[in-house]
Amino acid sequence: MRSIWNGAISFGLVSIPIKLVNATESHTVSFRQIHTEDGGRIRYRKVCELEDREVTQAEIGKAYEDADGTIIPITDEDLAHLPLPTAKTIDIVAFVPADRIDPLQMENAYYLAASGAPAAKPYTLLREALKRSRKVAIAKFALRGRERLGMLRVVDDVIAMHGLLWPDEIRVPQGVAPDVDVTVRDKELDLADALMDTLGEVDIQDLHDEYREALEEVIAAKAAGEAPPEAPEPAPGGKVLDLMAALEKSVRAAKQSRGEEVGEEAGEPAEEAEEAEVRHLPRGKRAGAAAKKTTAGKQAPAAKKTAAKKTTAAAKKSASKAQSSRSAKKTASTAKSTTKKTPAKKTASRKRTA
């Protein structure tokens, strides 16, 4: 790896010659600006605004613009003679526990390589001292025209350095937190803890840049004259209004993805928790659904009562018909009997008269 800075680590009276090497690299896919009509590259030319002509890199220098617009030229020689002890030295000023460093301060990461055989012994001494103390070293160094803070720690068998922002470069998070009073219940915290436990840990090596991979597929397809791959269907939208339902559903989904059995969460059956998810609907639909549900709830007992009345009336009507039929039969029978007896009486009367 190519070094970007050569100097030494100052560790008390010990000086360790080192080379600074970038510890990270970017895999971001970069684009060029083009003229959309003909595909020609769009380039920027450096033009002197006083002479209105393009200038070469050799003609370009540095300058500081004052508040009143005055231009103050600064040469490389001026920068080389800055009264800084850290111009070519990483000066260790303290050793502190690693948790004293706020991750917000961390910038670029570098590897510090021992420069030559004589540097091997003091380099190894500092590395082993950092390991045994379980601390990190805070240092000051100058790079790319300004003095910076650095944090030295051990990575495998190498000393690494993280650039740090100065404390006054960290903004105060004023006005960022929610400005409303919110109460979080213990049950919600318990579900959040359950979700964190279910998700568990991850090997950072298994994570990758899916956006870059998809972008490379699009570029490869267009380079081959093919249609780019179709975007997947977006997941169904909807805002979950019930935080508890969202947490419960998240826990179940995480368990299912791990092949675990999904039982009751927070004392509620899975079926009930599934129904607890409420999605944001237009006001009219919610009111209509509620009205239908209420109307149906009110109509159900009335419908049962009406049906019971109809059944009773039908039964009474049927019984009435049966009774009428029996009365008719009895009347007919009586009438027939009376008809038969009348002629006999008349005959007897005639005989007595004779």
mmCIF file of all heavy atoms in Angstrom, residues 82 84 107 141-149 164-166 169:
data_model
loop_
_atom_site.group_PDB
_atom_site.id
_atom_site.type_symbol
_atom_site.label_atom_id
_atom_site.label_comp_id
_atom_site.label_asym_id
_atom_site.label_seq_id
_atom_site.Cartn_x
_atom_site.Cartn_y
_atom_site.Cartn_z
ATOM 1 N N LEU A 82 5.661 26.562 9.239
ATOM 2 C CA LEU A 82 4.730 26.783 10.342
ATOM 3 C C LEU A 82 5.381 26.347 11.659
ATOM 4 O O LEU A 82 6.037 25.301 11.724
ATOM 5 C CB LEU A 82 3.442 25.974 10.125
ATOM 6 C CG LEU A 82 2.477 26.480 9.048
ATOM 7 C CD1 LEU A 82 1.319 25.490 8.887
ATOM 8 C CD2 LEU A 82 1.935 27.863 9.394
ATOM 9 N N LEU A 84 4.962 24.488 14.112
ATOM 10 C CA LEU A 84 4.218 23.374 14.685
ATOM 11 C C LEU A 84 5.153 22.208 14.970
ATOM 12 O O LEU A 84 5.871 21.755 14.071
ATOM 13 C CB LEU A 84 3.121 22.899 13.713
ATOM 14 C CG LEU A 84 1.847 23.751 13.610
ATOM 15 C CD1 LEU A 84 0.934 23.158 12.560
ATOM 16 C CD2 LEU A 84 1.133 23.807 14.950
ATOM 17 N N GLU A 107 -13.076 10.286 12.332
ATOM 18 C CA GLU A 107 -13.022 10.574 10.891
ATOM 19 C C GLU A 107 -12.358 9.406 10.173
ATOM 20 O O GLU A 107 -12.672 8.252 10.435
ATOM 21 C CB GLU A 107 -12.256 11.887 10.657
ATOM 22 C CG GLU A 107 -13.029 13.130 11.007
ATOM 23 C CD GLU A 107 -12.346 14.368 10.477
ATOM 24 O OE1 GLU A 107 -11.169 14.590 10.824
ATOM 25 O OE2 GLU A 107 -12.984 15.113 9.721
ATOM 26 N N PHE A 141 -1.374 15.648 15.221
ATOM 27 C CA PHE A 141 -0.538 15.537 14.030
ATOM 28 C C PHE A 141 -1.034 16.536 12.995
ATOM 29 O O PHE A 141 -2.175 17.023 13.069
ATOM 30 C CB PHE A 141 -0.548 14.109 13.469
ATOM 31 C CG PHE A 141 -1.887 13.675 12.908
ATOM 32 C CD1 PHE A 141 -2.102 13.631 11.539
ATOM 33 C CD2 PHE A 141 -2.929 13.297 13.747
ATOM 34 C CE1 PHE A 141 -3.324 13.238 11.016
ATOM 35 C CE2 PHE A 141 -4.145 12.895 13.240
ATOM 36 C CZ PHE A 141 -4.352 12.866 11.874
ATOM 37 N N ALA A 142 -0.187 16.854 12.016
ATOM 38 C CA ALA A 142 -0.535 17.785 10.951
ATOM 39 C C ALA A 142 -0.618 17.021 9.637
ATOM 40 O O ALA A 142 0.268 16.244 9.293
ATOM 41 C CB ALA A 142 0.505 18.897 10.845
ATOM 42 N N LEU A 143 -1.715 17.232 8.910
ATOM 43 C CA LEU A 143 -1.912 16.549 7.636
ATOM 44 C C LEU A 143 -2.808 17.409 6.753
ATOM 45 O O LEU A 143 -3.832 17.926 7.209
ATOM 46 C CB LEU A 143 -2.555 15.169 7.859
ATOM 47 C CG LEU A 143 -2.808 14.321 6.615
ATOM 48 C CD1 LEU A 143 -1.484 13.923 5.955
ATOM 49 C CD2 LEU A 143 -3.604 13.078 6.969
ATOM 50 N N ARG A 144 -2.389 17.546 5.501
ATOM 51 C CA ARG A 144 -3.141 18.300 4.488
ATOM 52 C C ARG A 144 -3.483 19.725 4.953
ATOM 53 O O ARG A 144 -4.611 20.187 4.870
ATOM 54 C CB ARG A 144 -4.419 17.553 4.101
ATOM 55 C CG ARG A 144 -4.157 16.199 3.456
ATOM 56 C CD ARG A 144 -5.436 15.612 2.871
ATOM 57 N NE ARG A 144 -5.139 14.344 2.217
ATOM 58 C CZ ARG A 144 -5.371 13.146 2.762
ATOM 59 N NH1 ARG A 144 -5.909 13.067 3.977
ATOM 60 N NH2 ARG A 144 -5.073 12.040 2.116
ATOM 61 N N GLY A 145 -2.465 20.366 5.463
ATOM 62 C CA GLY A 145 -2.604 21.796 5.741
ATOM 63 C C GLY A 145 -3.243 22.164 7.056
ATOM 64 O O GLY A 145 -3.517 23.350 7.282
ATOM 65 N N ARG A 146 -3.484 21.230 7.949
ATOM 66 C CA ARG A 146 -4.029 21.615 9.246
ATOM 67 C C ARG A 146 -3.651 20.598 10.318
ATOM 68 O O ARG A 146 -3.380 19.433 10.008
ATOM 69 C CB ARG A 146 -5.541 21.781 9.182
ATOM 70 C CG ARG A 146 -6.340 20.516 9.004
ATOM 71 C CD ARG A 146 -7.807 20.852 8.850
ATOM 72 N NE ARG A 146 -8.656 19.671 8.767
ATOM 73 C CZ ARG A 146 -9.300 19.138 9.793
ATOM 74 N NH1 ARG A 146 -9.159 19.663 11.000
ATOM 75 N NH2 ARG A 146 -10.070 18.078 9.647
ATOM 76 N N GLU A 147 -3.636 21.056 11.551
ATOM 77 C CA GLU A 147 -3.343 20.163 12.666
ATOM 78 C C GLU A 147 -4.610 19.425 13.067
ATOM 79 O O GLU A 147 -5.698 19.996 13.094
ATOM 80 C CB GLU A 147 -2.789 20.949 13.857
ATOM 81 C CG GLU A 147 -2.269 20.049 14.966
ATOM 82 C CD GLU A 147 -1.622 20.821 16.093
ATOM 83 O OE1 GLU A 147 -2.291 21.731 16.646
ATOM 84 O OE2 GLU A 147 -0.472 20.507 16.443
ATOM 85 N N ARG A 148 -4.441 18.170 13.398
ATOM 86 C CA ARG A 148 -5.583 17.323 13.717
ATOM 87 C C ARG A 148 -5.348 16.552 15.007
ATOM 88 O O ARG A 148 -4.213 16.440 15.480
ATOM 89 C CB ARG A 148 -5.839 16.325 12.584
ATOM 90 C CG ARG A 148 -6.020 16.969 11.230
ATOM 91 C CD ARG A 148 -6.073 15.931 10.122
ATOM 92 N NE ARG A 148 -6.173 16.571 8.824
ATOM 93 C CZ ARG A 148 -7.104 16.286 7.905
ATOM 94 N NH1 ARG A 148 -8.001 15.352 8.153
ATOM 95 N NH2 ARG A 148 -7.128 16.906 6.754
ATOM 96 N N LEU A 149 -6.449 15.986 15.519
ATOM 97 C CA LEU A 149 -6.378 15.046 16.629
ATOM 98 C C LEU A 149 -6.422 13.628 16.066
ATOM 99 O O LEU A 149 -7.055 13.374 15.034
ATOM 100 C CB LEU A 149 -7.554 15.241 17.584
ATOM 101 C CG LEU A 149 -7.447 16.309 18.671
ATOM 102 C CD1 LEU A 149 -8.741 16.339 19.469
ATOM 103 C CD2 LEU A 149 -6.259 16.047 19.579
ATOM 104 N N LEU A 164 -9.570 12.435 14.467
ATOM 105 C CA LEU A 164 -10.658 12.897 15.331
ATOM 106 C C LEU A 164 -10.961 14.361 15.055
ATOM 107 O O LEU A 164 -10.052 15.159 14.797
ATOM 108 C CB LEU A 164 -10.286 12.742 16.814
ATOM 109 C CG LEU A 164 -9.993 11.330 17.330
ATOM 110 C CD1 LEU A 164 -9.598 11.400 18.807
ATOM 111 C CD2 LEU A 164 -11.189 10.421 17.154
ATOM 112 N N LEU A 165 -12.233 14.701 15.109
ATOM 113 C CA LEU A 165 -12.621 16.100 15.036
ATOM 114 C C LEU A 165 -12.284 16.781 16.357
ATOM 115 O O LEU A 165 -12.292 16.151 17.422
ATOM 116 C CB LEU A 165 -14.126 16.224 14.771
ATOM 117 C CG LEU A 165 -14.635 15.687 13.423
ATOM 118 C CD1 LEU A 165 -16.156 15.699 13.412
ATOM 119 C CD2 LEU A 165 -14.092 16.498 12.257
ATOM 120 N N TRP A 166 -12.008 18.054 16.286
ATOM 121 C CA TRP A 166 -11.811 18.812 17.521
ATOM 122 C C TRP A 166 -13.156 18.921 18.237
ATOM 123 O O TRP A 166 -14.218 18.916 17.603
ATOM 124 C CB TRP A 166 -11.262 20.208 17.207
ATOM 125 C CG TRP A 166 -9.904 20.183 16.606
ATOM 126 C CD1 TRP A 166 -9.594 20.303 15.283
ATOM 127 C CD2 TRP A 166 -8.666 20.027 17.296
ATOM 128 N NE1 TRP A 166 -8.238 20.232 15.092
ATOM 129 C CE2 TRP A 166 -7.633 20.064 16.312
ATOM 130 C CE3 TRP A 166 -8.300 19.863 18.626
ATOM 131 C CZ2 TRP A 166 -6.292 19.940 16.636
ATOM 132 C CZ3 TRP A 166 -6.956 19.738 18.953
ATOM 133 C CH2 TRP A 166 -5.965 19.785 17.973
ATOM 134 N N GLU A 169 -15.823 21.154 16.959
ATOM 135 C CA GLU A 169 -16.377 20.863 15.633
ATOM 136 C C GLU A 169 -17.610 19.964 15.716
ATOM 137 O O GLU A 169 -18.238 19.682 14.699
ATOM 138 C CB GLU A 169 -15.315 20.198 14.740
ATOM 139 C CG GLU A 169 -14.164 21.113 14.389
ATOM 140 C CD GLU A 169 -13.120 20.433 13.524
ATOM 141 O OE1 GLU A 169 -12.688 19.313 13.884
ATOM 142 O OE2 GLU A 169 -12.716 21.012 12.498
#
